[in-house]
Amino acid sequence: MDSYHITGGKRLAGEHRITGAKNAVLPILAGAVIPGGVSKIRNCPRLSDVDAMVRILEGIGCRIRREDDSIEVDAGGVDSCRIPEHLMKEMRSSVFLMGPLLARCGEVVLSHPGGCEIGRRPIDIHISALRKLGVEIRETDGGLACRAANLKGTEIRLEFPSVGATENLMMAAVAARGETRILNPAREPEIRDLQDYLVSCGASVEGAGGPVIRVRGAGPLKGAEHRVMPDRIEAGTLLAAAAITGGQVLLTGAMPEDMEAVLEKFREAGCLLRTEGDKIELSSPPRLRAVDSVVTQPYPGFPTDMQSQFLALMTVARGECRIRETIFENRFKPAKELLRMGADIRIEGPVAVVRGVEALRGARVAAGDLRGGAALTVAGLAAPGETFVENVCHIDRGYDKLEVTLRKLGAEIRRIEE
């Protein structure tokens, strides 16, 4: 597997335009199955997860055309409701096809999804919610067989504001008779982006970002053109890379209004932030100060997808920081690797206690998941000496050539292909 070779200690500076959001493009590509026509999805990042989704779409009969940052999905030839098991195992986000295929075909057969090993991520919430719409779900050896002979709108309260369950419900409900009311939905900005795409296809969906989402079953949908929103996690990761190196970076094409919980923690760490329109500029002090507490929460709280990067950031901040993870139980896996780099981290159940050290040191470490790999890369940028980050295939799932972006900002980093 490929790895990164980083020579740390270089101050990052420069400008970068944020790419399309991984967490938005995947459900939108899945949703492109619902209309019988052609959808053109623009601002698609080059990610291995996007490549996997494209292979799944082709596997069920879609015709795909890619040009620059656009993906054209012609779903007119969909001829299968079975998602190949080997492709399901590649990525967790393949579960997003449950709702679209139920809406389009009335059935779907799938195995349990794969993805990063960051703890239990059961799809029980998806299953119980879809059953309330009238979906019959039968467990098979290693998977699920779902049928929707008569989807009927109803009121569904989610026990937890799951992003995936909210999106699956929205997409299935466009084919249900009557109105579906989703209570306690996830409110992430990516939910709004999916709503915008569905509405452009002719669906009746409203309320994304609020306490209730309403979906009224409409007639056949048409294909549409849609531009994917910018990736707030890529933006946060690059801000962390600049901050840990005492650098200064200007991000364009961002949506700072969707990142306030993250930006506030950078301010607490002593960074100077300026936001205007789609721009975020960060200037870092010579040494960061520790933030007293970080608690991951559903949006608009601090995102779990930024927890690992902030863990790395706090390893060199002056003072002590307590980071509580409330979403996934295994998201402190990078801590073990950061200890190899000289970090002072103590894990107390769902809390990581981080005491900042004067400096990290280069080491050979291994990425165990997407955001953990990004965190180790961020740490390596600040560590004197050489750092090797192995298994960067995890990083490729959510970042479009991260090493190229960092090199343009002044990092000494290269990919070693193996």
Side-chain angles (χ1 to χ4, degrees), residues 226-258:
H226 179 80
R227 180 177 178 83
V228 176
M229 65 175 288
D231 196 322
R232 59 195 173 102
I233 306 303
E234 179 198 13
T237 301
L238 295 177
L239 293 177
I244 203 170
T245 62
Q248 182 174 4
V249 68
L250 173 64
L251 304 180
T252 62
M255 295 181 71
E257 62 272 21
D258 291 336

Coordinates of all heavy atoms in Angstrom, one line a residue, residues 226-258:
H226 N -26.6 19.4 -11.0 CA -26.4 19.9 -9.6 C -24.9 20.1 -9.3 O -24.1 19.2 -9.7 CB -27.0 18.9 -8.6 CG -26.8 19.3 -7.2 ND1 -27.6 20.2 -6.5 CD2 -25.9 18.9 -6.2 CE1 -27.3 20.4 -5.3 NE2 -26.2 19.6 -5.1
R227 N -24.6 21.1 -8.5 CA -23.2 21.4 -8.1 C -23.0 21.0 -6.7 O -23.8 21.5 -5.8 CB -22.8 22.8 -8.3 CG -21.3 23.1 -7.9 CD -20.9 24.6 -8.2 NE -19.6 24.8 -7.8 CZ -18.5 24.5 -8.5 NH1 -18.6 24.0 -9.7 NH2 -17.3 24.8 -8.0
V228 N -22.1 20.1 -6.3 CA -21.9 19.6 -5.0 C -21.3 20.7 -4.1 O -20.4 21.5 -4.6 CB -21.0 18.4 -5.0 CG1 -20.7 17.9 -3.6 CG2 -21.6 17.3 -5.8
M229 N -21.8 20.9 -2.9 CA -21.3 21.8 -2.0 C -19.8 21.6 -1.6 O -19.3 20.5 -1.8 CB -22.1 21.8 -0.7 CG -22.0 20.5 0.1 SD -22.9 20.5 1.7 CE -21.8 21.7 2.6
P230 N -19.1 22.6 -1.1 CA -17.7 22.4 -0.7 C -17.6 21.6 0.6 O -18.5 21.4 1.4 CB -17.2 23.9 -0.4 CG -18.4 24.6 -0.2 CD -19.5 24.0 -1.0
D231 N -16.4 20.9 0.7 CA -16.1 20.0 1.8 C -15.6 20.7 3.0 O -14.5 21.2 3.1 CB -15.1 19.0 1.3 CG -15.0 17.7 2.2 OD1 -15.2 17.9 3.4 OD2 -14.9 16.6 1.6
R232 N -16.5 20.8 4.0 CA -16.1 21.5 5.3 C -15.1 20.7 6.1 O -14.3 21.3 6.8 CB -17.3 21.7 6.1 CG -18.1 20.5 6.5 CD -19.5 20.9 7.1 NE -20.3 19.7 7.3 CZ -20.5 19.1 8.5 NH1 -20.0 19.7 9.6 NH2 -21.2 18.0 8.6
I233 N -15.0 19.4 5.8 CA -14.0 18.6 6.6 C -12.6 18.8 5.9 O -11.6 18.8 6.6 CB -14.4 17.1 6.6 CG1 -15.8 17.0 7.2 CG2 -13.4 16.3 7.5 CD1 -15.9 17.6 8.6
E234 N -12.6 18.8 4.6 CA -11.3 19.2 3.9 C -10.8 20.5 4.4 O -9.6 20.7 4.7 CB -11.5 19.2 2.4 CG -10.2 19.5 1.7 CD -10.3 20.0 0.2 OE1 -11.5 20.3 -0.2 OE2 -9.3 20.1 -0.5
A235 N -11.7 21.5 4.5 CA -11.3 22.8 4.9 C -10.8 22.8 6.3 O -9.7 23.4 6.6 CB -12.5 23.8 4.8
G236 N -11.5 22.1 7.2 CA -11.0 22.0 8.6 C -9.6 21.3 8.7 O -8.8 21.7 9.5
T237 N -9.4 20.3 7.9 CA -8.2 19.6 7.9 C -7.0 20.5 7.5 O -5.9 20.5 8.1 CB -8.2 18.3 7.0 OG1 -9.3 17.5 7.5 CG2 -6.9 17.6 7.0
L238 N -7.2 21.3 6.4 CA -6.2 22.2 6.0 C -5.9 23.3 7.0 O -4.8 23.8 7.1 CB -6.5 22.7 4.6 CG -6.6 21.7 3.5 CD1 -7.0 22.3 2.2 CD2 -5.2 21.0 3.3
L239 N -7.0 23.8 7.6 CA -6.8 24.8 8.7 C -5.9 24.2 9.8 O -5.0 24.8 10.4 CB -8.1 25.2 9.3 CG -9.0 26.0 8.3 CD1 -10.3 26.3 9.0 CD2 -8.3 27.3 7.8
A240 N -6.1 22.9 10.1 CA -5.3 22.2 11.2 C -3.9 22.1 10.7 O -3.0 22.3 11.5 CB -5.9 20.9 11.5
A241 N -3.7 21.8 9.5 CA -2.3 21.6 8.9 C -1.6 23.0 9.0 O -0.4 23.0 9.3 CB -2.4 21.1 7.5
A242 N -2.3 24.1 8.7 CA -1.6 25.4 8.8 C -1.4 25.8 10.2 O -0.3 26.3 10.6 CB -2.5 26.4 8.1
A243 N -2.3 25.5 11.1 CA -2.2 25.9 12.5 C -1.1 25.2 13.2 O -0.3 25.8 14.0 CB -3.5 25.6 13.2
I244 N -0.9 23.9 12.9 CA 0.1 23.1 13.7 C 1.5 23.5 13.2 O 2.5 23.2 13.9 CB -0.2 21.6 13.5 CG1 0.5 20.8 14.6 CG2 0.3 21.1 12.1 CD1 0.1 19.3 14.7
T245 N 1.6 24.1 12.0 CA 2.9 24.5 11.5 C 3.2 26.0 11.7 O 4.2 26.5 11.2 CB 3.1 24.1 10.0 OG1 2.1 24.9 9.3 CG2 2.9 22.6 9.8
G246 N 2.4 26.6 12.5 CA 2.5 28.1 12.6 C 2.3 28.9 11.3 O 3.0 29.9 11.1
G247 N 1.5 28.4 10.5 CA 1.4 28.9 9.1 C 0.2 29.8 8.9 O -0.5 30.3 9.9
Q248 N 0.0 30.2 7.7 CA -1.1 31.1 7.3 C -1.7 30.6 6.0 O -0.9 30.3 5.0 CB -0.6 32.5 7.1 CG -1.7 33.5 6.7 CD -1.2 34.9 6.7 OE1 0.0 35.2 6.9 NE2 -2.0 35.9 6.5
V249 N -3.0 30.4 5.9 CA -3.6 29.8 4.7 C -4.9 30.5 4.4 O -5.6 31.0 5.3 CB -3.8 28.3 4.9 CG1 -4.9 28.0 5.9 CG2 -4.2 27.6 3.6
L250 N -5.2 30.7 3.1 CA -6.4 31.3 2.6 C -7.2 30.2 1.9 O -6.7 29.7 0.9 CB -6.2 32.5 1.7 CG -7.4 33.1 1.1 CD1 -8.4 33.6 2.1 CD2 -7.0 34.2 0.1
L251 N -8.3 29.8 2.3 CA -9.2 28.9 1.7 C -10.3 29.6 1.0 O -11.0 30.4 1.5 CB -9.8 27.9 2.7 CG -8.8 27.1 3.6 CD1 -9.5 26.2 4.5 CD2 -7.8 26.4 2.7
T252 N -10.5 29.3 -0.3 CA -11.6 29.9 -1.1 C -12.6 28.8 -1.5 O -12.3 27.6 -1.4 CB -11.1 30.6 -2.3 OG1 -10.4 29.6 -3.2 CG2 -10.0 31.6 -2.0
G253 N -13.8 29.2 -1.9 CA -14.8 28.2 -2.3 C -15.3 27.4 -1.1 O -15.8 26.3 -1.3
A254 N -15.2 28.0 0.1 CA -15.6 27.3 1.3 C -17.0 27.9 1.7 O -17.5 28.8 1.1 CB -14.6 27.5 2.4
M255 N -17.5 27.3 2.8 CA -18.8 27.8 3.4 C -18.6 28.0 4.9 O -18.9 27.1 5.7 CB -19.9 26.9 3.1 CG -20.3 26.8 1.6 SD -21.7 25.6 1.2 CE -23.0 26.6 1.9
P256 N -17.9 29.1 5.3 CA -17.6 29.2 6.7 C -18.8 29.2 7.6 O -18.7 28.8 8.8 CB -16.9 30.6 6.8 CG -17.2 31.3 5.5 CD -17.4 30.2 4.5
E257 N -20.0 29.5 7.1 CA -21.2 29.5 8.0 C -21.5 28.1 8.4 O -22.2 27.9 9.4 CB -22.4 30.1 7.3 CG -22.8 29.4 6.0 CD -22.1 29.9 4.8 OE1 -21.0 30.5 4.9 OE2 -22.7 29.7 3.7
D258 N -21.0 27.1 7.7 CA -21.3 25.7 8.1 C -20.2 25.1 9.0 O -20.3 24.0 9.4 CB -21.4 24.8 6.8 CG -22.6 25.1 6.0 OD1 -23.6 25.6 6.5 OD2 -22.5 24.8 4.8

